[in-house]
Amino acid sequence: PRRLTTDPRAPRAAEINGSYADVSSGFVFILLGACSLPEYACQHVLELREAIASVRTWYPRGSERQIAILSDGAIPEPWLNLNLQPDRIEQLEWDRLGDRPHAPRRGSAWQKALLDKDVRARKLLAYGQSPFDRTVFLDADTLVMSGEVGLLFHVLDRFDLAAAFECCRLHYPSSGGRI
């Protein structure tokens, strides 16, 4: 996968390959932790199911954009495939973090304490493990309301990273349906 860089002279993937047709791209959701057995019907998983369905409205299976879930393995992969139906599931590898510049040494006390206690830190550290060259990360409570969400990939023509500021969270209740 392409690595983030702060060097403006670094070539972009299109400059290397000639076009983005050779570069994989997709939407990624991060799923950390488990819900109570047997149904995994916690709010987060229900929202994730709806979020994936909203992306599928505009990008069905087999389209140019895939959907991946990065998982810590707390919910079994066969269950995720059957009930959430992503194109792929990637198991997060926490020991890969030490391969990143400026990351703490593998197995350091700082890393273990951070990963064990702060789910937000685990989520931030998971971003570097996207299976795609060009990735749009979506939160599980994000519903895609238009096919124009694909325009977000064009931002990656110019920048390695783009983020949206969330000033005012709007709450749209989940359908509450069970999986």
Side-chain angles (χ1 to χ4, degrees):
R2 201 172 91 202
R3 300 286 183 239
L4 296 179
T5 179
T6 56
D7 183 354
R9 298 165 298 174
R12 304 274 188 235
E15 295 168 1
I16 296 168
N17 299 329
S19 79
Y20 279 118
D22 299 332
V23 178
S24 67
S25 62
F27 298 95
V28 171
F29 296 93
I30 298 173
L31 181 60
L32 302 173
C35 301
S36 58
L37 294 172
E39 298 173 308
Y40 303 108
C42 68
Q43 187 68 24
H44 185 71
V45 173
L46 295 173
E47 288 174 345
L48 180 55
R49 181 184 63 181
E50 290 183 23
I52 290 173
S54 74
V55 174
R56 286 273 184 242
T57 300
W58 309 103
Y59 295 97
R61 281 192 183 276
S63 69
E64 73 274 17
R65 307 280 191 238
Q66 292 187 352
I67 298 172
I69 295 175
L70 300 181
S71 171
D72 62 2
I75 298 178
E77 191 171 319
W79 190 94
L80 293 173
N81 274 319
L82 179 66
N83 292 282
L84 302 182
Q85 301 181 0
D87 294 301
R88 58 197 301 177
I89 298 170
E90 299 289 328
Q91 179 76 34
L92 291 167
E93 299 176 27
W94 302 118
D95 64 339
R96 283 182 43 197
L97 300 174
D99 297 335
R100 306 280 189 265
H102 310 295
R105 290 186 325 273
R106 290 178 208 216
S108 71
W110 177 88
Q111 183 180 5
K112 286 182 181 185
L114 183 65
L115 296 178
D116 288 345
K117 295 185 178 163
D118 191 345
V119 71
R120 293 170 300 171
R122 289 198 326 251
K123 184 175 178 181
L124 286 171
L125 294 172
Y127 287 140
Q129 296 188 43
S130 170
F132 306 118
D133 295 311
R134 297 164 47 91
T135 302
V136 171
F137 284 95
L138 297 173
D139 283 340
D141 61 354
T142 301
L143 296 179
V144 174
M145 306 300 279
S146 166
E148 292 184 4
V149 70
L151 295 174
L152 293 172
F153 290 97
H154 293 293
V155 174
L156 300 174
D157 291 344
R158 182 168 168 123
F159 301 100
D160 288 331
L161 177 67
F165 173 71
E166 179 184 4
C167 71
C168 314
R169 177 172 270 240
L170 299 175
H171 178 69
Y172 296 98
S174 170
S175 68
R178 294 184 95 52
I179 295 178

